Amino acid sequence: YMDSLLLCLFQEIIIRLLQTEYISDIPDKKPVTDARQHYHDELLEQILAYIDITLYDPITVGEICQKFSMSRSSLQILFNENLNQTPKKYISELKLEKSRQLISEGRYTISEIALMLGFNSIHYFSRAFTQKYNMAPTEYAKTIFEGIINYKGYNPNEKTLQTDLEKMEKKMYKKIFKRCLCGVCVTY
């Protein structure tokens, strides 16, 4: 009985070694033809254009898949191979970059920007912004405000400076440092 058991074990080892050698000879990926790559590039350009157009809407990966008649896994592969990130992360990063631009413009409050870009809550927006830029949106707005005041080319006399600073401060604080609707978020 022991001899037959050893023989079976030995045969199993040989079979596994041969399988491993055979499997390692198979290439991991199919070579991508020029036509296929061109199709993927065009499809990705269309998807990115669609995301840019709908940036102010709460867009989901499912909606993109439905719009372009593709599976979720195909979309994930397309983004990972070409952009080295998932579609959801790409959309989030794009929205955060746009929010930074809008904060810099100073025309909208933080709450308005979060709502404009389709974030479900000001708290989620603030957390995502802080994770990406290592500072809260209000801190970023404050640095922009201070940057305007400390601009090197700005050199008025002392009286004009004080008046201008007061005007700028009132205007910026009204727009940027306004409390959101929940009354908790921004307290400057």
Side-chain angles (χ1 to χ4, degrees):
Y1 174 77
M2 188 67 149
D3 290 337
S4 73
L5 187 60
L6 283 172
L7 185 60
C8 285
L9 183 60
F10 185 65
Q11 287 175 340
E12 180 73 24
I13 291 171
I14 291 173
I15 289 171
R16 296 222 179 216
L17 286 172
L18 291 172
Q19 285 177 339
T20 304
E21 187 176 313
Y22 173 76
I23 290 173
S24 66
D25 290 342
I26 298 173
D28 290 339
K29 292 184 176 180
K30 299 177 199 172
V32 179
T33 63
D34 288 339
R36 183 182 203 124
Q37 186 60 47
H38 180 69
Y39 169 74
H40 284 205
D41 292 344
E42 281 188 6
L43 180 60
L44 184 63
E45 283 180 30
Q46 291 174 0
I47 292 170
L48 296 179
Y50 176 73
I51 291 171
D52 282 341
I53 291 169
T54 58
L55 189 63
Y56 291 102
D57 300 329
I59 187 170
T60 65
V61 173
E63 290 172 19
I64 296 170
C65 291
Q66 185 177 8
K67 169 84 175 159
F68 291 93
S69 303
M70 61 190 313
S71 70
R72 188 178 283 272
S73 60
S74 295
L75 183 66
Q76 297 280 3
I77 290 168
L78 182 66
F79 269 73
N80 282 330
E81 286 180 353
N82 292 285
L83 302 174
N84 295 323
Q85 60 184 342
T86 63
K88 187 174 181 177
K89 184 172 181 180
Y90 175 81
I91 293 167
S92 179
E93 300 248 335
L94 195 62
K95 286 185 178 207
L96 289 172
E97 185 58 40
K98 185 65 174 178
S99 71
R100 200 167 70 117
Q101 178 187 347
L102 291 170
I103 291 170
S104 297
E105 291 173 6
R107 288 190 279 174
Y108 305 102
T109 66
I110 304 293
S111 298
E112 290 171 337
I113 291 169
L115 290 172
M116 282 171 47
L117 291 171
F119 286 92
N120 294 333
S121 76
I122 184 70
H123 303 291
Y124 174 72
F125 167 70
S126 182
R127 196 169 34 246
F129 191 96
T130 303
Q131 285 177 347
K132 173 134 176 83
Y133 299 111
N134 295 321
M135 67 172 61
T138 52
E139 290 177 64
Y140 178 74
K142 191 173 182 180
T143 61
I144 296 296
F145 175 68
E146 289 170 354
I148 292 169
I149 292 171
N150 297 328
Y151 180 63
K152 291 179 183 174
Y154 188 74
N155 191 13
N157 64 41
E158 194 172 313
K159 185 178 179 184
T160 307
L161 175 62
Q162 187 61 34
T163 307
D164 288 351
L165 285 176
E166 288 171 3
K167 287 179 184 176
M168 288 171 70
E169 187 174 308
K170 285 179 184 176
K171 183 178 178 183
M172 293 296 281
Y173 279 133
K174 281 182 182 178
K175 289 187 175 191
I176 295 174
F177 299 105
K178 181 177 166 185
R179 285 186 183 263
C180 80
L181 300 176
C182 72
V184 175
C185 299
V186 182
T187 58
Y188 285 103

